Amino acid sequence: ATGTGSAAAPAAGTGSAVAPATGTGSAAAPATTAPATPKVIEASKDVLPAMGTVARPTVSRIGPSPRQAKMPGVGGSKDAINALFDELAPGAVARTLYEGDAGAYVLIQLIARAQPKVDEFDKTADAEIARMTAARAHQAEELWLKDRCDTLVKAGKIKPSAEKIRETDDKGNPAPTVYRPCMFFEHIDQ
């Protein structure tokens, strides 16, 4: 086409200017550059270390179990325990993985949720209260005995008889004495 000093419109969708057609006037057209050749990405030739064997996932059914600070399968994961008792509906599978016992990852599904039965509790309540009372009494007695023993040792009122605690090796030579007064109360947690 012939024109009188106008540049041709760029081709649709190309975004580049086309040089003007022949004519008397001319507008300077921008210089076009050749498209860059794409870089070819090559795979690394590095030798990667061999992967160890990974145990296949297993399915374990655990429970029913009451809410505890540390639970079988999920360990002490507060997020997993909250999901089991507060978020998941019976039959639902959790949308996230949780870290369970010994660094294992677990995907949990709540099979069923049972509500406590007051009638069943009432049948065993008296026996359970008696058991807990006896356990607390035993612990209080042992703590009192340990405290009393330690107080008497510090006051110098308890001294073991040297001939009763003398220890010897296989040849009859004296061995260091291991016995200490009140040492049998050391297992008690205060």
Side-chain angles (χ1 to χ4, degrees), residues 34-103:
T37 58
K39 286 188 174 182
V40 177
I41 300 175
E42 294 182 23
S44 171
K45 306 260 190 288
D46 296 341
V47 177
L48 299 175
M51 293 286 292
T53 57
V54 177
R56 295 189 57 80
T58 59
V59 175
S60 300
R61 187 176 184 126
I62 300 172
S65 178
R67 186 178 206 143
Q68 301 167 8
K70 210 168 174 165
M71 298 191 63
V74 296
S77 173
K78 291 181 181 179
D79 293 334
I81 294 170
N82 288 341
L84 282 170
F85 287 91
D86 300 331
E87 299 166 11
L88 292 176
V93 177
R95 294 182 180 217
T96 59
L97 291 175
Y98 299 99
E99 189 169 350
D101 290 334

Side-chain angles (χ1 to χ4, degrees), residues 61-162:
R61 187 176 184 126
I62 300 172
S65 178
R67 186 178 206 143
Q68 301 167 8
K70 210 168 174 165
M71 298 191 63
V74 296
S77 173
K78 291 181 181 179
D79 293 334
I81 294 170
N82 288 341
L84 282 170
F85 287 91
D86 300 331
E87 299 166 11
L88 292 176
V93 177
R95 294 182 180 217
T96 59
L97 291 175
Y98 299 99
E99 189 169 350
D101 290 334
Y105 289 95
V106 293
L107 177 64
I108 57 176
Q109 178 183 18
L110 180 64
I111 302 298
R113 179 176 288 132
Q115 295 298 323
K117 297 176 182 166
V118 177
D119 298 337
E120 293 294 322
F121 174 76
D122 287 341
K123 290 178 185 177
T124 61
D126 294 335
E128 285 297 313
I129 290 171
R131 183 189 62 77
M132 288 189 286
T133 302
R136 286 182 182 167
H138 181 71
Q139 183 182 21
E141 179 184 18
E142 283 191 342
L143 287 172
W144 181 84
L145 287 171
K146 180 181 185 309
D147 184 50
R148 185 75 178 139
C149 185
D150 289 340
T151 303
L152 292 173
V153 168
K154 288 178 185 175
K157 294 186 177 182
I158 294 179
K159 294 180 184 173
S161 182

